[in-house]
Amino acid sequence: MAGTAHREPARPDLAVSIWRGDAGGAYADYRVPQRANQTVLDIVTFVQREIDPGLSYRFSCRVGMCGSCAMTVNGRPRWTCRTHVSKVAKNGRLTIGPLANLPVIKDLATDMAPFFQKWQAAKGVFSPSKTRHDAIEPIKPSSPERVAADAGVECINCGVCYAACDTVAWNADYLGPAALNRAWTLVNDVRDTGGKERLRAVSAAGGCHACHTHQSCQQHCPATLNPTASIAGLKRATVQAWLKGEIEP
Amino acid sequence: MNAYLSAHRASILWFAAMAHRLSGIGLAAFLPLHFLALGLALRGEAALEGFLRWSDMGVVKLAESGLVFLLVVHLLGGLRLLLVENFSWRSGQSKLAAGAAALAGLVAFLFLIRVL
Ligand code: SF4
Ligand code: SF4
Ligand code: FES
């Protein structure tokens, strides 16, 4: 309307607790003004820019692509750039901590190294069957293998599922939902040659057979993937390979 | 470092996994008692009779129906896992798990009514 200044209705400040320090740290309390369409990442950014520049956290794309902004918000792991405060604040309160199941470096920044080491241990790296000099292999999008691979391929490596998985918390060797989901996409990739070695890696101790089928990983995955289904696929594939004598127990 | 993470456990399937474990432990713990009863039968009628009279008490019957619950919930939970792990993925696992628990509760309740 012409001449009418757009003004947001006054809202009470949010009471925000943010983890400060390393594993032995504690929560510190802040008051942050509420805005319309505010995300949890906006809150953290406000605290760092306006209250304490020493606050450490990670983000990059702010649109749910890069997977670097995951934190624990009111007890649940979430991607903070796509999580609206209005959806998760309880009575005007927010508690924001680092992702669980990973070493805390400082404040909201965790060390993602174990997460990616397990990705490697699960043979989550593509082993090509062709070189750049070969013709591109035509892959039918509707083939069952490609459909299975496509179902898990949009992982953004955010670590949310890894933080939501109690088997990771209880078994330090467990490869975790993201690495196993990645392995399953490669098991279904007909261009890949690492099959047997990968099945061996994911069926060893700490592999797919350690999964308890909680589906916490699926329930929390912001990319709406279903690592539990991928892991069930690995369980079948490894047992079949074992029955055929292709891998040892 | 897990103190701040807990809300992720408030899910039917998390409880289903826990119920499967605990019912398994419960059933394993009951086995020695079961063998004791069988052993008493070997020792003679009087010993078994004494045991059976003890098992006639209301509280023991209640415990027995608890045992029936554990047995059925473990059986159905195990079947659900076999389904997940050996066949292609089916959605609606929460409903299946809740249904298994409800059915186990119903069977245990019917058992209790019959023995009381
Ligand atoms: S289903 Fe498996 S991977 Fe997913 S949370 Fe449970 S144990 Fe972890
Ligand atoms: S599977 Fe989902 S939750 Fe896990 S790392 Fe990938 S995108 Fe994140
Ligand atoms: S900042 Fe990239 S996913 Fe959130």
Side-chain angles (χ1 to χ4, degrees):
Chain A
M1 244 185 283
T4 315
H6 176 75
R7 213 177 284 141
E8 281 184 28
R11 302 162 200 248
D13 284 353
L14 284 163
V16 182
S17 300
I18 297 181
W19 186 264
R20 301 306 306 267
D22 56 13
Y27 282 102
D29 296 330
Y30 306 92
R31 297 205 77 82
V32 178
Q34 280 198 66
R35 305 250 184 276
N37 303 319
Q38 202 170 19
T39 66
V40 174
L41 185 64
D42 292 336
I43 299 284
V44 176
T45 301
F46 179 91
V47 172
Q48 199 224 35
R49 303 240 164 115
E50 308 292 334
I51 306 175
D52 182 356
L55 177 65
S56 303
Y57 67 110
R58 275 196 208 102
F59 73 97
S60 178
C61 70
R62 296 186 296 145
V63 288
M65 302 281 294
C66 71
S68 61
C69 65
M71 299 168 200
T72 309
V73 184
N74 282 357
R76 282 180 192 275
R78 294 183 182 276
W79 55 355
T80 54
C81 70
R82 298 282 308 265
T83 302
H84 279 261
V85 171
S86 56
K87 195 179 131 198
V88 291
K90 288 209 183 80
N91 306 322
R93 284 203 62 84
L94 269 186
T95 304
I96 308 172
L99 270 190
N101 297 342
L102 289 160
V104 182
I105 300 173
K106 178 176 173 286
D107 306 339
L108 301 171
T110 50
D111 181 1
M112 298 294 285
F115 177 79
F116 287 109
Q117 277 156 5
K118 289 179 178 177
W119 189 276
Q120 299 269 351
K123 306 273 176 236
V125 181
F126 179 62
S127 325
S129 50
K130 296 210 168 20
T131 70
R132 66 179 70 226
H133 307 295
D134 296 311
I136 291 177
E137 189 171 340
I139 304 287
K140 227 174 156 199
S142 58
S143 66
E145 290 84 6
R146 197 57 233 172
V147 170
D150 280 345
V153 89
E154 298 287 353
C155 173
I156 57 170
N157 309 337
C158 64
V160 162
C161 57
Y162 191 83
C165 174
D166 270 330
T167 305
V168 171
W170 296 332
N171 176 357
D173 293 331
Y174 182 48
L175 294 172
L180 291 170
N181 174 71
R182 168 66 180 165
W184 176 241
T185 65
L186 290 175
V187 165
N188 285 290
D189 192 327
V190 295
R191 304 162 304 164
D192 182 276
T193 57
K196 253 178 237 164
E197 216 187 312
R198 187 170 298 113
L199 289 182
R200 230 170 260 141
V202 299
S203 57
C208 60
H209 298 286
C211 166
H212 286 285
T213 319
H214 301 122
Q215 283 175 245
S216 304
C217 48
Q218 181 208 8
Q219 281 158 19
H220 290 84
C221 173
T224 64
L225 304 186
N226 185 354
T228 315
S230 301
I231 295 168
L234 286 178
K235 286 176 179 172
R236 283 197 297 280
T238 50
V239 169
Q240 278 162 12
W242 172 66
L243 288 175
K244 286 188 207 148
E246 291 169 0
I247 60 172
E248 308 74 47
Chain B
M1 216 35 233
N2 234 348
Y4 48 75
L5 184 85
S6 53
H8 71 295
R9 290 187 183 141
S11 110
I12 288 178
L13 292 168
W14 192 89
F15 280 106
M18 201 41 98
H20 196 66
R21 278 215 147 170
L22 295 180
S23 58
I25 294 172
L27 290 173
F30 162 73
L31 268 183
L33 205 65
H34 182 60
F35 288 130
L36 178 75
L38 293 179
L40 287 178
L42 289 181
R43 269 228 222 133
E45 222 169 284
L48 181 68
E49 198 51 41
F51 180 82
L52 289 181
R53 207 159 308 130
W54 172 76
S55 70
D56 239 8
M57 283 174 5
V59 50
V60 179
K61 283 181 175 161
L62 201 67
E64 276 175 347
S65 71
L67 199 66
V68 170
F69 177 78
L70 293 185
L71 197 66
V72 180
V73 90
H74 198 76
L75 177 81
L76 294 178
L79 284 175
R80 185 181 73 82
L81 288 181
L82 285 174
L83 204 72
V84 166
E85 294 181 3
N86 293 292
F87 297 92
S88 43
W89 185 263
R90 252 157 244 259
S91 53
Q93 291 298 325
S94 300
K95 279 192 199 123
L96 275 184
L103 192 59
L106 188 70
V107 171
F109 183 64
L110 291 178
F111 175 86
L112 190 64
I113 291 178
R114 286 205 53 165
V115 294
L116 275 185

